[in-house]
Amino acid sequence: MRSAMKAGFSIVSLTVAMLAGLPAAVAETTVLRDFTLIDGTGKAPATNQALVMTDGRISWVGPSAKLKVPAGAKVERLKGKYLMPGLIDSHVHLGLVDGITQNLQYQTPENIEKQLGIYAAYGVTAVQTLGTEKDLIFPIQQMRKGRTAMSRVYTVGQGVVFKGSYGGVPGLDQSVATPGEARAMVDKEASHGADLIKLWVDDEFGMLEERMPPQISSAVIDEAHRKGKKTVAHIFYYDNAAELAREGVDAFAHSVRDRAVDDALLSQMKAKGVWQMAATLSREASFTYKTLPFLDDPFFARGVTPAVLKELASPERAAKLAAAPNFPKYAPTLQHAMDNFAREVKAGIRYGMGTDSGPTARFPGYFAHWELELMVKAGLTPMQALTAATSANAEFMGANDIGTVAPGKWADLLVLGRDPTADIRNSRAIDAVYIAGNKVSTIWQTCIGRADDACGGRP
Ligand SMILES: [Zn+2]
């Protein structure tokens, strides 16, 4: 203890100073005031609010009239602005692409950190990766515990794939053939520090021979629960959703997309507490376009390079996508996803917000805002969509120190110039993003050296 105090600037000496009631001279304090607060819980927006951030965490929230500005604090007035918790995307994949070329060789810490910077610049201050990350994700996951400047990472590590069936990515050895192998893989991911366990049950529109059978999925779920981990399943078909709910899965990472959900499934999900953790409407919607409809939207364009924009706009690409045998199936698939999600919400099933961004042409950050818009199109109120993307996601993920604007939470915040509860597209009116009390760089990584309109016309 003595030597720690001599060192002067260690955690131990700081704690000792605080315990002794000495002035915390090194505390970094910032006050934001006079904004309209959307606190993430679903409570109605409150005008003329203020908050105090101390060393990256929220230390006080309340009406500006009751604010006591701590000595030495930096004060910022946000009159006319809206402040809410940073968005959380519960379904992403990291480091799969360079531009829109997908290959596991691009999964490097540098590329992942670049993508986490893009998420952050779009106001997505935490993400949960769902099963295609090498073990290099675990040191990055650990960074969420401190004052990071990138989006915080929660992860399943590698998800469980049934041998020869749907799921995973080439280059990762993540398939299992027996219940014993499935349990061993769950144990391995849990021992590496996975926050939860993922499994895939699908056959790509019947193109693959077999889906993961119940004796494997039930082993995954049982073993995960024995290790104290939740499970989340990729599903497509109603029948698999019903079977997995019966087996005790904790959440679905996509909507049911082959038919309408019925009262039998809804009441099973409700009774078992199964979440619709991600509806991935933006994923399904993206597949319905030969050419994505937002290529000339600067809010999209600043998150990608001009080369990617050009590639996305090319007639050759459009022709290739339109000629794919599954292309006509995507519009009805999207419709099922939207209708079923709305039915679940109406039935009182718990739900979060997740996009499945990260694979080719499914873009970090931008898709979260598109997802919110599609959730509202499906029938939710803007407030329901925002709450799904903040406190609900945090609750499902067990992320206790993010997701709401409340004392003790990390100051991971989104400041908007317009009211997102009046029009969900106002989630895009980003004025500032804070992670752990620090303003995230407003220089978009993909904008460095660029002077086009998407990047504000200056390099
Ligand atoms: Zn996914």
Side-chain angles (χ1 to χ4, degrees), residues 91-93 130 198 200 234 253-254 280 283 356-357 359 362:
H91 186 160
V92 313
H93 301 270
L130 283 198
K198 158 94 176 262
W200 276 274
H234 167 110
H254 302 280
T280 67
R283 170 197 198 268
D356 203 5
S357 55
R362 309 215 297 268

Side-chain angles (χ1 to χ4, degrees), residues 29-372:
T29 309
T30 307
V31 170
L32 305 178
R33 58 173 300 169
D34 308 336
F35 52 81
T36 297
L37 175 66
I38 297 160
D39 72 1
T41 65
K43 216 168 80 184
T47 56
N48 292 315
Q49 300 293 296
L51 67 78
V52 181
M53 307 189 274
T54 308
D55 292 335
R57 291 194 185 255
I58 298 165
S59 50
W60 184 87
V61 194
S64 291
K66 292 193 177 160
L67 170 69
K68 291 192 189 82
V69 177
K74 205 177 95 193
V75 180
E76 210 172 320
R77 290 177 188 270
L78 299 174
K79 198 147 188 62
K81 314 274 189 211
Y82 297 79
L83 182 142
M84 60 173 285
L87 300 170
I88 303 169
D89 190 335
S90 67
H91 186 160
V92 313
H93 301 270
L94 292 173
L96 291 185
V97 294
D98 176 24
I100 53 174
T101 311
Q102 188 167 327
N103 192 310
L104 200 57
Q105 77 184 63
Y106 302 127
Q107 197 168 85
T108 60
E110 295 71 30
N111 194 26
I112 287 178
E113 288 177 19
K114 185 177 137 193
Q115 292 179 352
L116 292 171
I118 294 173
Y119 276 109
Y122 272 108
V124 179
T125 54
V127 297
Q128 180 169 257
T129 80
L130 283 198
T132 54
E133 283 71 26
K134 295 187 272 194
D135 288 350
L136 55 74
I137 197 65
F138 292 109
I140 297 171
Q141 170 206 40
Q142 289 304 306
M143 293 162 79
R144 76 171 189 235
K145 294 177 177 162
R147 296 192 68 181
T148 169
M150 313 174 298
S151 188
R152 298 180 199 276
V153 170
Y154 293 74
T155 186
V156 308
Q158 293 178 31
V160 186
V161 179
F162 179 55
K163 208 168 190 105
S165 187
Y166 183 94
V169 288
L172 289 180
D173 177 26
Q174 56 189 138
S175 62
V176 301
T178 66
E181 285 177 21
R183 286 183 188 272
M185 181 162 176
V186 169
D187 294 350
K188 189 179 84 184
E189 296 309 314
S191 74
H192 288 172
D195 293 293
L196 73 170
I197 300 294
K198 158 94 176 262
L199 60 158
W200 276 274
V201 187
D202 198 353
D203 62 9
E204 183 86 72
F205 294 114
M207 286 160 71
L208 298 163
E209 224 162 79
E210 247 187 305
R211 302 176 209 158
M212 180 185 280
Q215 65 268 29
I216 305 280
S217 55
S218 56
V220 170
I221 293 165
D222 179 62
E223 189 66 17
H225 289 171
R226 276 178 9 93
K227 297 276 169 185
K229 305 290 180 189
K230 287 182 179 174
T231 49
V232 55
H234 167 110
I235 48 119
F236 180 90
Y237 298 98
Y238 173 97
D239 289 348
N240 299 126
E243 167 63 20
L244 288 161
R246 199 187 61 71
E247 289 170 11
V249 78
D250 298 278
F252 297 139
H254 302 280
S255 306
V256 169
R257 291 164 283 167
D258 64 325
R259 52 162 278 195
V261 296
D262 58 8
D263 288 343
L265 178 57
L266 292 172
S267 46
Q268 172 88 313
M269 286 177 75
K270 208 167 172 189
K272 293 270 204 164
V274 182
W275 280 58
Q276 187 63 55
M277 188 194 74
T280 67
L281 304 176
S282 50
R283 170 197 198 268
E284 315 312 333
S286 74
F287 294 154
T288 66
Y289 293 98
K290 289 181 278 184
T291 305
L292 291 170
F294 39 71
L295 300 186
D296 53 3
D297 174 0
F299 187 66
F300 172 71
R302 68 186 178 178
V304 296
T305 63
V308 164
L309 270 185
K310 203 175 150 200
E311 209 176 332
L312 290 171
S314 89
E316 294 77 33
R317 178 183 163 83
K320 201 175 142 206
L321 289 176
N326 288 333
F327 186 74
K329 296 177 186 165
Y330 292 126
T333 298
L334 169 64
Q335 198 56 55
H336 279 311
M338 291 179 82
D339 293 348
N340 285 336
F341 183 50
R343 282 187 192 107
E344 289 169 350
V345 172
K346 229 175 160 181
I349 307 295
R350 300 295 311 276
Y351 56 95
M353 186 283 281
T355 61
D356 203 5
S357 55
T360 180
R362 309 215 297 268
F363 298 92
Y366 183 86
F367 267 41
H369 295 274
W370 194 20
E371 186 76 23
L372 292 171

Side-chain angles (χ1 to χ4, degrees), residues 390-434:
T390 52
S391 66
N393 267 350
E395 181 187 336
F396 180 80
M397 290 155 58
N400 297 325
D401 51 6
I402 57 173
T404 59
V405 179
K409 306 277 178 180
W410 282 117
D412 292 0
L413 307 168
L414 183 49
V415 179
L416 302 170
R418 295 190 297 275
D419 182 2
T421 66
D423 178 351
I424 194 62
R425 284 182 62 92
N426 288 341
S427 71
R428 302 164 187 221
I430 297 173
D431 200 66
V433 178
Y434 290 85

